[in-house]
Amino acid sequence: MFTIQRLVQPETIEEAYKILTEKKLNTVLGGTCFLRMGSKRIGTAIDLSKLNLDYIKEDEEYIEIGAMATFRDIETSSVLKENFNGVLPKSVESIIGVQFRNIVTVGASIFSKYGFSDLITGFLALDTEVELCGAGRMSLEEFLQAPYKKDLLTRVFIKKNNRLASFKDFRNSVSDFSLVNVAVSKLDNDWKIVVGAKPRGAEIAVNASKKLSEGHIDEEKIEEVVNMAVEELRFGTNMRATKEYRIALSKVLIKRAIMEVLECK
């Protein structure tokens, strides 16, 4: 349960950012899914519904996603289904239920840097940038590594470069959160291997990705790359799964994702 002292609906991004940064307790609402699960006192709650940020569109260079687009929008978007082997719709299609996906927003999920996020793992495997009102435009990887600073995430940009991608995860049940998730992508000879929900946030296995990008790929090399990936990434234990179990799952999922990308046309 959260409490709100004052609710505002700004009509411009600049107005929303000004209100957000005026006081420490001022908060952007987003879809409010996870706000409802906790206990928070909000001074001024900022509703972005009048800013027309609930869209997915494309031009010749980028697919652009507004911060208020929902997971259901991602799941059903014909633009996203037709690009990157449909990796983004696949990354959200099993999250809890349709009612939940209808209200969870892209901007809130990315800005919160949730460790369990399936969508961030999918985005990170692509050439993704985010735009913030204060900090400006930067790569998603740079944003995820930066320390928290009060800001307003407004848009996400994905480079339209024909990356082939695959998303894999493991859940105790269809609608449960992932115990671990994996996304792998390839553009020409440039590979990306991403693992999330471990339970820390999604990370690119940089060394393993570089190794996979070097020359011929066979089963022996894939095994080597899989082992490199789990060695360089940080895994942990929580109430959902142990570190060792997550590592074992990741090895299987990374291998399956690589094989799927290799078979993509």
Side-chain angles (χ1 to χ4, degrees):
M1 178 67 69
F2 61 94
T3 59
I4 295 174
Q5 293 182 316
R6 175 173 170 253
L7 176 68
V8 296
Q9 293 181 306
E11 297 189 0
T12 67
I13 291 173
E14 292 74 19
E15 182 187 357
Y17 179 72
K18 181 178 182 296
I19 296 170
L20 175 65
T21 54
E22 278 176 349
K23 294 184 180 179
K24 183 178 180 180
L25 293 180
N26 293 0
T27 303
V28 174
L29 289 182
T32 75
C33 293
F34 294 103
L35 278 175
R36 300 177 199 187
M37 296 181 184
S39 178
K40 184 172 182 177
R41 180 173 174 270
I42 299 173
T44 298
I46 304 164
D47 178 4
L48 305 181
S49 59
K50 289 187 176 182
L51 301 185
N52 299 316
L53 294 174
D54 53 341
Y55 64 84
I56 299 173
K57 62 185 181 182
E58 65 177 331
D59 57 28
E60 292 183 358
E61 292 190 60
Y62 290 94
I63 295 173
E64 182 181 332
I65 303 173
M68 291 297 285
T70 66
F71 279 22
R72 184 63 173 167
D73 294 330
I74 296 287
E75 180 185 4
T76 58
S77 167
S78 58
V79 171
L80 294 176
K81 286 180 180 180
E82 292 166 3
N83 286 273
F84 319 116
N85 199 33
V87 69
L88 294 178
K90 290 174 184 175
S91 73
V92 300
E93 64 186 5
S94 296
I95 296 175
I96 309 222
V98 172
Q99 296 93 333
F100 185 82
R101 298 195 295 274
N102 266 326
I103 56 176
V104 180
T105 61
V106 171
S109 298
I110 293 178
F111 189 80
S112 300
K113 304 180 184 181
Y114 292 127
F116 54 79
S117 174
D118 297 296
L119 184 61
I120 290 177
T121 299
F123 272 132
L124 201 53
L126 306 177
D127 298 295
T128 305
E129 297 176 313
V130 296
E131 182 182 87
L132 298 106
C133 190
R137 188 160 163 174
M138 66 186 75
S139 71
L140 175 59
E141 185 178 6
E142 181 183 355
F143 170 72
L144 293 174
Q145 292 175 352
Y148 174 79
K149 183 178 179 181
K150 203 165 213 184
D151 208 332
L152 179 61
L153 192 151
T154 55
R155 300 176 180 87
V156 178
F157 298 88
I158 311 168
K159 183 74 173 176
K160 285 178 63 176
N161 52 14
N162 297 314
R163 270 195 179 272
L164 301 174
S166 172
F167 179 85
K168 303 291 181 184
D169 60 16
F170 187 87
R171 306 167 189 268
N172 284 329
S173 63
V174 173
S175 60
D176 198 4
F177 290 106
S178 296
L179 297 185
V180 70
N181 54 48
V182 167
V184 172
S185 71
K186 171 183 178 290
L187 176 63
D188 299 324
N189 292 320
D190 177 30
W191 287 81
K192 287 187 182 182
I193 300 170
V194 183
V195 183
K198 46 188 176 55
R200 299 176 176 89
E203 296 177 285
I204 299 174
V206 176
N207 296 331
S209 300
K210 287 180 179 178
K211 182 67 177 178
L212 191 59
S213 301
E214 297 173 357
H216 177 69
I217 298 175
D218 54 23
E219 188 170 347
E220 182 179 347
K221 184 173 183 178
I222 292 174
E223 291 291 344
E224 180 184 2
V225 165
V226 167
N227 289 323
M228 286 180 64
V230 298
E231 286 174 7
E232 71 174 285
L233 295 175
R234 301 170 295 164
F235 290 83
T237 296
N238 63 3
M239 64 182 295
R240 294 187 159 288
T242 64
K243 171 182 176 179
E244 293 74 18
Y245 188 44
R246 283 191 165 96
I247 289 173
L249 288 173
S250 296
K251 287 182 177 182
V252 175
L253 297 180
I254 293 169
K255 183 174 181 179
R256 289 179 180 176
I258 292 172
M259 295 301 293
E260 183 173 300
V261 172
L262 286 171
E263 293 171 2
C264 289
K265 301 297 183 183

